[in-house]
Amino acid sequence: MLFEILTLFPEAVKGYLETSILARAQRAGLVEARLTNIRDFARDKHQTADDRPFGGGQGMVMKPGPLCAAIRSVLPGRVILTSPRGRPFDQAKAEELVRLDKLILVCGRYEGVDQRVIDLLVDEEISVGDYVLTGGELAALTILDATSRLLPGVLGSQDSSQEESFGDGLLEYPHYTRPRLFEGRAVPEALLSGDHQRIRDWRRRESLRLTLLRRPELLERAQLSQRDRDWLAEMAAGLEAGREPGR
Ligand code: 4FV
């Protein structure tokens, strides 16, 4: 899968791409990430990529000329602008995007980009959260990371995307590794039992319990068995009665 990243600060993105799983995926030819510096498309002698907003107000706005030229230099492909106005990014979106061969990720800076760039060339705006970043680069890397790790072969055997948060619409169960006892705290018995069904049940109950406590709205969309529903009812009753630890 090819990711074209358009940014005014390629150096801010490079380091992350050259690290761990993403670096290995690029070496294996599973992922290709190309960086384009939007300023290279500014034609004036000072290579100006931003200007003051019409109508006044704080900050600067990215100029349409350099940004449109930069986008057109990497077309065709799905053009995504990372911005707080965008559709919230989630696992389902990552699973949709990973079906594409190529993604063009445009990183905003300053107050944002001239609206005519969006009207002319942007297919969709995506937000990684309801907060304001200094730049869209972290959002672009978030989308690239969550999407490319779903590509077959990107996650090695030691890392799996099977059983994880949102994999089945629930929050992930707690993880434990050696030592068995740490600062007086033991690993739950079930995980030491060697009984695979018991281990699966413990993990499923923990996922359900954490999701009930922290993200109950996710339960509406999750695929739940009757046993899951029975457990949830028991937990909800336990919470009511203060029996279930609220954590
Ligand atoms: C953002 C977000 C974000 C806004 C102004 C870049 C910044 C600056 N992008 N999800 N939240 N972008 O805050 O995606 O242009």
Side-chain angles (χ1 to χ4, degrees), residues 82-84 108-112 126-136 139:
T82 59
S83 103
R109 274 277 159 173
Y110 316 114
E111 298 314 305
I126 294 182
S127 171
V128 293
D130 295 342
Y131 41 79
V132 181
L133 302 166
T134 60

Side-chain angles (χ1 to χ4, degrees), residues 154-172:
V154 167
L155 290 185
S157 54
Q158 79 278 9
D159 1 82
S160 89
S161 68
Q162 259 66 39
E163 294 175 348
E164 60 183 8
S165 282
F166 314 107
D168 55 4
L170 301 177
L171 298 186
E172 201 168 346

Side-chain angles (χ1 to χ4, degrees), residues 212-228:
L212 178 65
L213 286 166
R214 296 180 183 181
R215 300 287 305 280
E217 80 281 359
L218 292 176
L219 294 170
E220 280 130 42
R221 288 204 314 258
Q223 302 93 19
L224 301 176
S225 67
Q226 189 47 51
R227 196 181 53 153
D228 293 334

Side-chain angles (χ1 to χ4, degrees), residues 232-243:
L232 282 167
E234 186 197 303
M235 291 169 189
L239 277 172
E240 289 304 309
R243 271 197 315 281

Side-chain angles (χ1 to χ4, degrees), residues 9 12 16 19 25 27 34-35 47 67-68 77 104 115 120 130 136 139 142 155 160 180 187 203 218 231 245:
F9 302 99
Y16 191 80
T19 307
R27 286 196 301 276
R34 290 189 197 146
L35 304 182
Q47 289 200 302
L67 189 45
C68 283
I104 298 169
Q115 182 60 35
L120 286 165
D130 295 342
T142 299
L155 290 185
S160 89
R180 283 177 180 232
V187 172
R203 286 174 169 171
L218 292 176
W231 275 340

